[in-house]
Amino acid sequence: MDIGLPPDVSYEPDTARSDSVSLHSTGTGHTHISDSHSNTYYMRTFGHNTIDAVPNIDFYRQTAAPFGEKLSRPSLSELHDELDKEPFEDGLANGEEPSAAEEAAAALAAKEAKGGTIKFGWIKGVLVRCMLNIWGVMLFIRMSWIVGQAGIGLTIAIILMATLVTTITGLSTSAIATNGFVRGGGAYYLISRSLGPEFGGSIGLIFAFANAVAVAMYVVGFAETVDVDALMTDELNDIRIVGTLTVILLLGISVAGMEWEAKAQIVLLVILLGAIANYFIGSFMAIESKEPKGFFGYHTAILLENLGPDFREEETFFSVFAIFFPAATGILAGANISGDLTDPQSAIPKGTLLAIVITGVTYVAVAISAGSCIVRDATGDHNDTVSDTVNCTDAACTLGYDFSICKEGGCQYGLMNDFQVMSLVSGFGPLISAGIFSATLSSALASLVSAPKVFQALCKDNIYPGLGVFAKGYGKNNEPLRGYVLTFCIGLAFILIAELNIIAPIISNFFLASYALINFSVFHASLANSPGWRPSFKYYNMWVSLAGAILCCVVMFVINWWAALVTLLIVLALYIYVSYKKPDVNWGSSTQALIYNQALTHCLNLTGVEDHIKNFRPQCLVLAGYPNSRPALLQLVHSFTKNVGLMVCGHIRTVSRRPNFKELGQDRARCQRWLNKKRIKAFYTTVFSENLRHGTQFLLQAVGLGRLKPNTLVMGYKNNWSDGDMRDVEIYINTIHDAFDLQFGVAILRLQEGLDISHIPGQGTLHPSFFEYLSLCPLHGLYPSPLLTNSKHLSAKCVFVFAGLTLLIPFLLTNRSKWGDCRIRVFIGGKINRIDHDRRAMATLLSRFRIDFSDIHVLGDINTKPKKHNKLTFKELIEPYRLKEDDMEQEAAERLKAQEPWRITDNELELYKAKTNRQIRLNELLKEHSSTAKLIVMSLPLARKGTVSSALYMCWMETLSKDLPPLLLVRGNHQSVLTFYS
């Protein structure tokens, strides 16, 4: 396959072109680069003049990359924008100086020459640690008992079930570990970078705690197996003393550094392997003196007798499985020190999976071996031989011994009774004791190292405030010394308790919860189908991983149901906490990918569904400018769109020169962060335009995705419009007309003090007027008063058109906690002799719409002529904007009207005299009935396009809304938004 790499960018006019570069592998370790244009200059890497670059690994590093310095590839602006200076005047031309990549490589080599960090390969770093953790004390002191209870067949089934869970988890771990560079942090890092900080933060904390307590569990297990000739004090305190001394020794090894800890692990592995080999060698060395204790060597009779189960003391298959399964854990011992591995992507899959295979085969081999050469019960008495009078048929009888007395209980030997039976079988008993010590100490040492490493990674990400003190590392390996001390203190505390039977099931469930989430991470990432999910380890399947996650949860409840519930509650509590705190991190988790995938799917599905009245919701395009400039407007719209409808903050930036698109992108990101910080659920979008109208036209037509698009335009009222240029008023009014042309509803909010606070120091604070109403609402009650009128001239019958959006918005507002105690009063126009009838009719309609209201007022005097002084005030308002065509020649009047189309003609005033009086009268009624309301919502008067001038329309709105509490003028697109049908 030919790959087109970035072409050469030459600054010579006759050679600048887009040429395709093809790479052809020669099979000899070289790559040929072919180009159809021989006179093209190649990039500096090839010794020629250009700033374009072939993809380089150093371009993709993060700032704190441990294996090299981060370099910056040429930006698109550097390649595309006009030049401010000559391209190579900085002295880097002609390939005479080393490239940045070469300089970085040289710096890294110098650093390593001075003494780099200690890194481990896959054998020493992963395989050894995993095997030591999986080969626990269970192998030597519980495996024989499990075989005695469950029999060889079910014991193998138990081992295979446990191995199935760990194998699936190992495959999932391998997939995640090979999907990019892995830093330190083990299970926490894998889960947090896959599922996000919520899951990662909750699991990381309990996983680190589980490892810390596991130190105490293993050390106490070691102390219990130490055979002292005489009690120092008493049995319990002896365990505490031995445990304390042991954990101090382990802490010293850990603090000495990872190199010393690794050496100790190798020594312990050699001892452990010797103990295992010692057992198998001894199993072939049948000694007559051991026969009374149940060991006869390999015999078919013993194999057949121990093949089936013999559950005793109320044990069951699942109870025995619960006892064995913790022995199969420990598969993350290598992944937990991922930051100390030379190549984690290669080491974790190879070491983890191979360790699972080796330890699984070992457990199966021990189970078959023990079940084939040791009987379940033995007395240990040489005199219990078979006599002629004894009638028995078990395996011991065929071998000359009668252990039938053991059926009554009291026998101390055999698979069922002797936990140290492997010492009996082995060729050299003390070596088995050394193996037990090695198994417990190696597991304790691995946990003592894992807990601080995971906790340090968690603290570095600052998921939980206050824990940053443990993020600091020391030495060339960045050792978490503070984490070591904390783990030591936790482990010592539980050692001094010396009773871990209660805490042990919870710890096992903590590990299982981590395994479950690792499996779920792979399923989730595969389900999200993100192009970024492309692990180099291919032997995984999303459905197998999901099955593994379910299996882990099932095993949690099998081991201990109440511990499983406690674990789930703790994870849930931590998840909720991290979700609430919303840490400022972005790791490109599969959660983000799946949200995008689902959002895209649902948006596409919506395009095939017609809108229905029952599903109508206000979806608002808010012309707010910079969001922190008009917070009152945003907060009001957010109050009735939050979790209900779409809210888009539109910002139209008028420019008279060449727009700065780079600055536009930066503003978009900054303003969206501001909205997120203020927890305003809205999108921010901005455009460059010549004026408000053109920008709004673009937003009205372009903003949206399928049916997820605005249907209502929300603006602030243009305060102090009379002091400005009337051309701006013309643009403002035409913007409203454009919205109606595009079948948008329109809402205009007016505060007497104005909405724009960008000129006030400390932008983004709550508006001093509007938000005072919000804070007082629960105490004194809010009275949004939709005064519903029609847009036409009132006829003699006073027929009113019901405005659904005008009533829907107050209803949505009262559903919010800040507005919950507020009441809705509805005002409608009517005739004096039909007030009761109109009130009952409206009450019936509102009841069918399931909208609560406190009162309905029918205004019978709505047709009364306005007061003379108010009419005079209106006349004074429009005077500067009149055309006064009667005072000039017709040609001059037509010319002035063409130049200033916003002017009001005498004919227009006379034609709309009744509607003008309506606005004056409505303002009088609003002052009379709603002067104490905290918010008034009423229908926006509608002006016929091309007939009513912009100045007259503006005067109507000014007259209607003057000297009133906060007023929201609303006009829908005259399509139904309410229905009483189910």
Side-chain angles (χ1 to χ4, degrees):
M1 175 181 290
D2 289 352
I3 302 174
L5 294 177
D8 172 66
V9 177
S10 172
Y11 296 97
E12 298 295 331
D14 59 340
T15 58
R17 61 190 60 155
S18 294
D19 299 324
S20 176
V21 182
S22 301
L23 271 73
H24 302 281
S25 175
T26 63
T28 60
H30 295 79
T31 302
H32 290 174
I33 301 178
S34 60
D35 193 338
S36 57
H37 302 279
S38 59
N39 61 342
T40 315
Y41 290 106
Y42 288 103
M43 43 181 276
R44 191 168 62 238
T45 305
F46 305 133
H48 299 281
N49 293 354
T50 178
I51 63 172
D52 208 350
V54 171
N56 188 318
I57 189 172
D58 296 309
F59 295 153
Y60 298 89
R61 298 192 190 279
Q62 296 180 1
T63 304
F67 296 130
E69 296 184 11
K70 174 179 174 58
L71 303 179
S72 296
R73 68 168 63 82
S75 68
L76 183 61
S77 298
E78 290 173 335
L79 298 175
H80 177 261
D81 291 356
E82 295 180 2
L83 291 174
D84 294 328
K85 62 177 182 177
E86 291 300 318
F88 297 111
E89 64 182 26
D90 55 3
L92 296 178
N94 301 322
E96 296 175 356
E97 297 185 21
S99 68
E102 293 168 345
E103 292 173 353
L108 181 60
K111 180 180 178 181
E112 292 177 346
K114 294 180 180 178
T117 58
I118 303 299
K119 299 291 183 180
F120 304 110
W122 71 274
I123 296 178
K124 196 174 181 180
V126 182
L127 179 63
V128 171
R129 294 174 185 277
C130 289
M131 288 195 303
L132 284 172
N133 250 26
I134 299 173
W135 277 334
V137 70
M138 183 74 66
L139 179 66
F140 296 102
I141 64 176
R142 283 293 186 273
M143 201 65 218
S144 56
W145 177 86
I146 292 173
V147 173
Q149 290 281 353
I152 297 174
L154 291 184
T155 298
I156 295 176
I158 288 173
I159 296 172
L160 293 180
M161 283 178 59
T163 304
L164 176 64
V165 174
T166 55
T167 300
I168 294 175
T169 306
L171 293 174
S172 298
T173 303
S174 301
I176 299 176
T178 58
N179 190 52
F181 177 74
V182 179
R183 295 180 182 273
Y188 161 71
Y189 186 89
L190 298 178
I191 295 173
S192 62
R193 268 50 177 185
S194 296
L195 292 178
E198 294 83 6
F199 279 111
S202 56
I203 283 297
L205 196 60
I206 68 170
F207 189 75
F209 178 76
N211 275 283
V213 179
V215 174
M217 291 177 57
Y218 295 129
V219 169
V220 169
F222 168 77
E224 288 177 346
T225 59
V226 173
D227 185 15
V228 292
D229 295 333
L231 294 175
M232 291 177 283
T233 55
D234 56 68
E235 185 177 355
L236 185 61
N237 285 321
D238 281 358
I239 292 175
R240 291 169 175 165
I241 294 171
V242 174
T244 301
L245 294 175
T246 303
V247 78
I248 291 174
L249 174 63
L250 296 178
L251 177 65
I253 296 174
S254 301
V255 172
M258 290 296 296
E259 187 175 8
W260 283 96
E261 186 268 347
K263 292 178 180 178
Q265 293 279 26
I266 293 296
V267 173
L268 294 174
L269 177 64
V270 171
I271 296 173
L272 191 56
L273 289 174
I276 295 173
N278 177 47
Y279 163 77
F280 282 109
I281 292 172
S283 67
F284 290 97
M285 300 168 56
I287 301 175
E288 186 176 351
S289 61
K290 297 180 180 180
E291 291 181 353
K293 296 182 180 180
F295 172 56
F296 294 91
Y298 292 100
H299 287 279
T300 305
I302 299 177
L303 171 65
L304 295 176
E305 182 177 84
N306 291 336
L307 197 59
D310 184 17
F311 294 113
R312 303 178 189 176
E313 298 177 356
E314 299 182 353
E315 296 291 349
T316 64
F317 173 82
F318 290 108
S319 66
V320 174
F321 175 80
I323 292 172
F324 171 78
F325 186 82
T329 60
I331 61 173
L332 296 181
N336 286 340
I337 63 162
S338 53
D340 297 296
L341 300 176
T342 303
D343 184 6
Q345 291 178 285
S346 173
I348 292 176
K350 288 193 296 186
T352 302
L353 295 175
L354 185 57
I356 292 173
V357 172
I358 293 175
T359 54
V361 170
T362 304
Y363 275 118
V364 171
V366 170
I368 296 174
S369 173
S372 301
C373 63
I374 309 170
V375 296
R376 281 192 167 99
D377 299 291
T379 61
D381 190 346
H382 288 273
N383 298 321
D384 288 335
T385 57
V386 176
S387 62
D388 296 336
T389 59
V390 176
N391 182 19
C392 62
T393 58
D394 56 21
C397 289
T398 63
L399 298 172
Y401 283 86
D402 178 15
F403 298 140
S404 58
I405 193 175
C406 292
K407 295 179 180 179
E408 301 175 4
C411 291
Q412 299 179 0
Y413 298 97
L415 294 174
M416 301 289 281
N417 309 304
D418 185 8
F419 290 154
Q420 300 288 343
V421 71
M422 290 187 69
S423 297
L424 173 70
V425 175
S426 65
F428 183 63
L431 190 54
I432 295 295
S433 298
I436 295 174
F437 296 164
S438 174
T440 53
L441 292 179
S442 62
S443 298
L445 188 57
S447 296
L448 186 58
V449 171
S450 297
K453 295 283 186 181
V454 173
F455 193 58
Q456 182 186 36
L458 176 66
C459 296
K460 281 183 177 180
D461 290 334
N462 199 27
I463 301 297
Y464 299 99
L467 298 181
V469 65
F470 295 101
K472 182 175 177 58
Y474 297 87
K476 56 187 178 182
N477 265 47
N478 197 32
E479 296 290 346
L481 297 185
R482 296 175 181 177
Y484 284 134
V485 174
L486 178 63
T487 304
F488 167 79
C489 293
I490 295 174
L492 182 61
F494 282 96
I495 288 171
L496 295 178
I497 294 174
E499 179 56 56
L500 301 175
N501 290 337
I502 295 179
I503 196 68
I506 298 179
I507 301 306
S508 297
N509 276 276
F510 281 1
F511 286 119
L512 278 168
S514 304
Y515 297 169
L517 280 181
I518 288 176
N519 286 310
F520 183 74
S521 298
V522 173
F523 168 76
H524 199 268
S526 302
L527 185 66
N529 198 27
S530 171
W533 172 251
R534 48 183 188 275
S536 57
F537 183 84
K538 303 299 182 183
Y539 303 103
Y540 73 95
N541 180 273
M542 61 181 291
W543 301 109
V544 172
S545 295
L546 178 62
I550 297 173
L551 276 175
C552 288
C553 294
V554 171
V555 172
M556 287 172 64
F557 283 92
V558 168
I559 291 177
N560 191 298
W561 67 267
W562 63 262
L565 288 178
V566 170
T567 302
L568 293 178
L569 289 175
I570 293 175
V571 172
L572 180 61
L574 293 174
Y575 178 89
I576 293 174
Y577 172 80
V578 178
S579 299
Y580 176 77
K581 297 297 292 185
K582 294 187 182 300
D584 187 18
V585 294
N586 183 9
W587 295 322
S589 66
S590 61
T591 303
Q592 297 174 347
L594 187 60
I595 290 174
Y596 173 85
N597 207 4
Q598 291 175 338
L600 182 61
T601 301
H602 294 324
C603 285
L604 291 173
N605 290 340
L606 281 175
T607 59
V609 180
E610 292 295 329
D611 289 331
H612 194 279
I613 301 174
K614 290 193 297 183
N615 293 326
F616 174 86
R617 54 192 67 214
Q619 303 192 120
C620 300
L621 171 62
V622 187
L623 300 185
Y626 285 110
N628 59 347
S629 298
R630 296 172 178 83
L633 181 62
L634 289 186
Q635 290 287 2
L636 177 65
V637 178
H638 183 246
S639 295
F640 63 81
T641 59
K642 179 182 178 182
N643 298 329
V644 174
L646 174 69
M647 177 177 172
V648 179
C649 298
H651 183 189
I652 300 166
R653 300 181 60 179
T654 55
V655 291
S656 56
R657 56 182 179 84
R658 182 177 179 180
N660 187 335
F661 291 105
K662 183 184 297 184
E663 180 183 341
L664 190 74
Q666 294 171 349
D667 282 349
R668 182 182 293 112
R670 180 173 59 85
C671 292
Q672 188 63 57
R673 285 195 302 269
W674 187 92
L675 291 170
N676 296 339
K677 182 179 180 181
K678 298 298 181 181
R679 298 189 177 182
I680 298 176
K681 296 185 177 182
F683 299 97
Y684 173 84
T685 185
T686 179
V687 295
F688 282 121
S689 180
E690 297 178 359
N691 55 49
L692 173 70
R693 183 183 184 186
H694 292 162
T696 305
Q697 287 176 342
F698 175 80
L699 292 176
L700 291 174
Q701 296 177 76
V703 170
L705 187 63
R707 296 200 181 279
L708 195 66
K709 61 182 180 181
N711 54 28
T712 304
L713 176 66
V714 182
M715 302 189 296
Y717 181 75
K718 191 173 181 62
N719 282 43
N720 303 321
W721 59 272
S722 57
D723 299 331
D725 191 337
M726 286 304 294
R727 287 176 295 185
D728 293 337
V729 174
E730 179 82 5
I731 292 174
Y732 182 81
I733 297 301
N734 284 333
T735 300
I736 299 175
H737 288 312
D738 292 338
F740 290 136
D741 288 341
L742 292 170
Q743 295 298 299
F744 274 70
V746 175
I748 299 175
L749 176 65
R750 178 172 188 180
L751 268 65
Q752 298 304 319
E753 300 84 354
L755 291 168
D756 190 355
I757 62 170
S758 58
H759 59 283
I760 302 176
Q763 299 179 29
T765 57
L766 300 182
H767 194 280
S769 172
F770 184 72
F771 287 95
E772 180 182 357
Y773 299 136
L774 290 181
S775 61
L776 292 177
C777 167
L779 297 177
H780 303 289
L782 179 66
Y783 303 91
S785 308
L787 200 159
L788 311 177
T789 67
N790 67 337
S791 60
K792 300 179 180 179
H793 299 294
L794 281 178
S795 64
K797 295 182 180 180
C798 299
V799 177
F800 288 85
V801 178
F802 187 81
L805 189 59
T806 311
L807 191 58
L808 180 61
I809 289 177
F811 167 76
L812 294 175
L813 285 174
T814 56
N815 288 336
R816 301 300 173 195
S817 58
K818 289 184 178 180
W819 303 72
D821 295 334
C822 305
R823 294 177 294 168
I824 297 178
R825 295 187 302 168
V826 180
F827 292 78
I828 60 173
K831 298 177 67 175
I832 296 178
N833 58 352
R834 292 177 54 88
I835 289 179
D836 291 337
H837 176 271
D838 292 342
R839 182 185 294 113
R840 287 193 300 270
M842 182 55 64
T844 300
L845 184 59
L846 293 177
S847 297
R848 290 189 176 185
F849 284 139
R850 290 93 59 203
I851 294 179
D852 295 330
F853 58 92
S854 64
D855 197 5
I856 296 177
H857 293 264
V858 180
L859 304 176
D861 56 347
I862 192 172
N863 292 325
T864 304
K865 291 184 179 180
K867 298 176 182 178
K868 289 185 179 181
H869 71 275
N870 289 329
K871 294 175 65 175
L872 182 61
T873 302
F874 180 81
K875 186 175 181 180
E876 293 173 352
L877 174 65
I878 65 172
E879 186 64 24
Y881 315 114
R882 292 181 59 185
L883 181 62
K884 299 179 181 178
E885 62 270 29
D886 292 342
D887 299 339
M888 63 181 71
E889 295 182 359
Q890 181 178 357
E891 184 178 347
E894 291 176 354
R895 188 184 310 112
L896 181 59
K897 181 65 174 178
Q899 294 173 352
E900 300 177 350
W902 45 265
R903 287 197 174 273
I904 307 171
T905 65
D906 294 340
N907 183 51
E908 181 184 357
L909 275 179
E910 183 63 28
L911 180 63
Y912 290 101
K913 181 177 180 181
K915 194 161 188 176
T916 299
N917 290 336
R918 168 63 57 78
Q919 312 312 318
I920 301 173
R921 179 57 182 158
L922 287 176
N923 180 261
E924 294 174 354
L925 292 172
L926 288 171
K927 291 178 180 178
E928 177 183 350
H929 295 281
S930 300
S931 59
T932 60
K934 300 303 183 287
L935 176 66
I936 302 172
V937 182
M938 67 174 297
S939 294
L940 170 71
L942 198 61
R944 191 172 296 279
K945 183 175 62 173
T947 304
V948 178
S949 62
S950 299
L952 181 58
Y953 193 11
M954 200 71 207
C955 289
W956 284 350
M957 288 192 288
E958 175 69 22
T959 300
L960 177 63
S961 59
K962 184 179 180 182
D963 300 329
L964 290 174
L967 174 67
L968 183 66
L969 297 170
V970 180
R971 171 68 64 172
N973 60 4
H974 283 242
Q975 295 180 1
S976 298
V977 301
L978 296 172
T979 180
F980 46 77
Y981 293 105
S982 60

